[in-house]
Amino acid sequence: MIGLFLNYALFIAGIISAYIIGSNNNATSLGILFATNAIKRKYAYLINMFSIFVGVTIGSLTMLHSVYGIIYGNNLYVVISIFTALLSSVITFYYLNKAGIPSSLSQTFYPSIAILTLISHGLISLDWVRFWIIVASWVISPLVAIGFSLFLYFIFSKIISSESKILKQIQIYKRLILFSSAFTSFVVGANAIGIIVSAGLVTEPAYVVLPIYGLASALGVLSSQRIAIKVGFRITKLGYLGASSAIIGSNIINEIFTLLGIPLSITQTIMGGIIGLSFRSFTSDVRKQVKQIFRSWSSSPILAIILSLAIFGIIKSILGL
């Protein structure tokens, strides 16, 4: 009976998490369309909702073992640990982003799981090799995104400068912006929400989890307008070409990691792309973004770990474990 209740609790927590991540992580995607007026807002919502749904239901297939499969042991403790880590991660993620500190589900979830594994007295185990690969991705992906975004910028610049007609150039800009927006939504669904999907597989089969979590994330897009406007105008300070290069470049890196089944910080990788384009003129805004990344790296895991330990202790006390 306890196990059944926890399964339902974890499944519902996954739905709520998919909604929140869909809302917060999709702000970049929606924001760039709002800031550039590349398309009417109602169509911007539809494109993003469709892209993130496809990302969850199809793109996340490579991520199905990002949680389900690397944590194993006593089934009851596995469910409790995943539920605890997911709940603490989403709460940390939500409030840090609200406070202006960009955070990531990956950076909060996996450290929490690692700590819960260490205090479980051998009842659950973690694939530590995969864990450290995930941790390494938080450092590698933003650095690679910096270089790749700059590379794309020079490529796109040559393509556009070779077109003498202004109307043709405008069409190229518009296509780049639309693609960068849809691609971002897809990657959010595939990687960030892919982690949540994998957690949900502990309770339900993939054919149940994928469409329900995909729908929840798509509905989350509808509530991301306020943060999207703020993020969008900040990104487009780079210029249409710079913004597109930063977003597309960073998301190509994100998608490569996704295809390899490695969870990573999508937010940090995109910020890496933005920083890369900002290096053209190293302003105070660039320094501020670099500081935000380091603040996130230091604060996100610590806060999530503290919260997960508290929640884990409360659940054990309630269940008498």
Side-chain angles (χ1 to χ4, degrees):
M1 189 66 179
I2 293 175
L4 184 62
F5 172 77
L6 286 171
N7 281 349
Y8 280 123
L10 175 56
F11 185 71
I12 293 170
I15 295 174
I16 297 170
S17 301
Y19 178 88
I20 292 173
I21 301 299
S23 174
N24 282 270
N25 274 24
N26 199 68
T28 302
S29 175
L30 203 58
I32 194 172
L33 294 182
F34 286 174
T36 59
N37 288 315
I39 194 172
K40 290 182 178 179
R41 287 200 175 187
K42 64 178 180 180
Y43 295 122
Y45 280 113
L46 289 174
I47 288 173
N48 277 252
M49 291 174 73
F50 176 76
S51 298
I52 200 168
F53 181 81
V54 173
V56 176
T57 55
I58 297 176
S60 70
L61 292 176
T62 57
M63 297 288 294
L64 294 185
H65 295 288
S66 57
V67 176
Y68 180 69
I70 72 167
I71 306 162
Y72 48 92
N74 182 286
N75 187 63
L76 180 61
Y77 272 82
V78 167
V79 174
I80 292 173
S81 299
I82 293 175
F83 172 76
T84 300
L86 185 60
L87 186 60
S88 63
S89 297
V90 171
I91 292 172
T92 303
F93 170 88
Y94 178 78
Y95 282 103
L96 282 179
N97 278 277
K98 205 169 183 180
I101 302 174
S103 183
S104 162
L105 182 69
S106 173
Q107 285 183 336
T108 52
F109 180 84
Y110 288 97
S112 297
I113 278 292
I115 292 299
L116 295 178
T117 299
L118 292 174
I119 67 168
S120 68
H121 306 294
L123 291 168
I124 60 172
S125 300
L126 180 68
D127 187 334
W128 289 100
V129 173
R130 292 179 66 180
F131 170 79
W132 288 113
I133 290 173
I134 292 167
V135 172
S137 75
W138 303 338
V139 179
I140 295 170
S141 59
L143 294 176
V144 177
I146 289 173
F148 194 67
S149 296
L150 280 168
F151 171 74
L152 277 187
Y153 176 79
F154 291 119
I155 296 296
F156 291 155
S157 295
K158 287 186 177 182
I159 293 172
I160 291 173
S161 61
S162 66
E163 181 55 65
S164 58
K165 295 181 180 179
I166 300 297
L167 289 177
K168 285 286 186 181
Q169 289 183 358
I170 292 172
Q171 287 181 350
I172 294 173
Y173 283 131
K174 184 176 180 180
R175 287 169 185 166
L176 284 174
I177 290 166
L178 289 174
F179 177 75
S180 64
S181 177
F183 191 23
T184 301
S185 293
F186 177 86
V187 171
V188 168
N191 197 295
I193 300 174
I195 298 171
I196 302 171
V197 167
S198 185
L201 292 180
V202 175
T203 65
E204 298 291 341
Y207 64 82
V208 174
V209 175
L210 288 169
I212 292 177
Y213 285 17
L215 180 60
S217 62
L219 292 174
V221 172
L222 294 173
S223 65
S224 61
Q225 178 175 348
R226 187 176 177 182
I227 188 172
I229 292 172
K230 181 179 178 181
V231 172
F233 280 96
R234 186 185 67 173
I235 292 173
T236 49
K237 286 181 182 179
L238 297 170
Y240 288 5
L241 184 59
S244 298
S245 302
I247 300 301
I248 293 173
S250 57
N251 278 315
I252 287 175
I253 303 304
N254 283 330
E255 182 58 19
I256 290 172
F257 276 86
T258 302
L259 291 173
L260 294 173
I262 301 173
L264 76 167
S265 172
I266 291 176
T267 304
Q268 304 298 348
T269 309
I270 290 177
M271 285 191 70
I274 294 171
I275 290 169
L277 268 295
S278 301
F279 275 143
R280 292 173 298 162
S281 55
F282 197 78
T283 62
S284 60
D285 187 52
V286 179
R287 288 192 291 272
K288 182 181 177 182
Q289 291 179 51
V290 173
K291 288 179 181 177
Q292 283 182 324
I293 284 184
F294 283 105
R295 285 173 68 192
S296 175
W297 280 340
S298 60
S299 60
S300 297
I302 294 171
L303 290 176
I305 287 170
I306 293 171
L307 189 56
S308 64
L309 288 172
I311 295 172
F312 189 69
I314 291 170
I315 293 175
K316 284 183 68 178
S317 296
I318 292 172
L319 299 179
L321 298 174

